[in-house]
Amino acid sequence: MTALNKDAAVAVIGAGAMGAGIAQVAAQAGHPVALFDTREGAAAQAIAGIAKQLGKRVDAGKLDAAERDAVVARLTPAARLEDLEGSALVVEAIVENLQIKRELFEKLEAICGDDCILASNTSSLSITSLAATLQRPERVAGLHFFNPAPVMALVEIVAGLASDKAVVDCLYATARAWGKKP
């Protein structure tokens, strides 16, 4: 099993508590991370919140200031979905609504390269159902973090019926490389 290379771009869609936490985890693991949210300014606000949280860890002597600065520098707000085009992995952490998630994945399939893994942080929707309307459902799998994502070790890797084993294995190895217990 091969994890994503640390230089591989990761995108997170949804800048709420889960999305911001997942973005922080990926950035702390060394990935450049684009954070997108449909709410104007939400991604930038989430990145500022991450910087503030990491600043508290610096103040407590649990994190080096240079490391905080490096993590924050790897986080970028994305203005449009099209800005996620070069991503190796896109994780959605949006509202738990099957139709809305399907529409998002359909848009991402048209934007992202064929080798991009599309992952959902869903805890309740079927990965098979989420991927059913796609041309390439084999590149979709579940990557379910627990809240708060930077703290909780467990990550569920969920295969749909069409999920490619290599995609699932990559997510498993990537979660381990990120210091999680898949």
Side-chain angles (χ1 to χ4, degrees), residues 11 13 41 62 101:
I13 301 175
K62 295 180 179 182
K101 287 181 188 284

Side-chain angles (χ1 to χ4, degrees), residues 67-142:
E67 177 60 19
R68 175 206 52 214
D69 295 345
V71 170
V72 174
R74 287 191 285 270
L75 293 162
T76 306
R80 310 170 306 134
L81 278 178
E82 291 77 13
D83 296 339
L84 311 181
E85 182 178 358
S87 301
L89 169 63
V90 178
V91 183
E92 70 78 13
I94 64 171
V95 63
E96 288 290 290
N97 178 297
L98 179 63
Q99 190 56 37
I100 293 171
K101 287 181 188 284
R102 276 183 173 172
E103 289 170 7
L104 174 62
F105 278 134
E106 289 167 7
K107 290 175 185 172
L108 289 170
E109 189 174 48
I111 293 167
C112 298
D114 287 344
D115 57 346
C116 177
I117 297 172
L118 303 177
S120 176
N121 187 58
T122 187
S123 61
S124 61
L125 299 174
S126 161
I127 297 302
T128 301
S129 293
L130 284 175
T133 61
L134 299 180
Q135 306 236 340
R136 298 220 27 241
E138 66 273 9
R139 66 175 169 166
V140 178

Side-chain angles (χ1 to χ4, degrees), residues 8 12 15 18 26 28 38 52 63 68 73 89 108 113 116 119 121 170-171 174 179:
V12 179
M18 287 308 300
Q28 284 180 298
T38 57
K52 184 176 179 180
L63 182 69
R68 175 206 52 214
L89 169 63
L108 289 170
C116 177
N121 187 58
C170 179
L171 289 176
T174 299

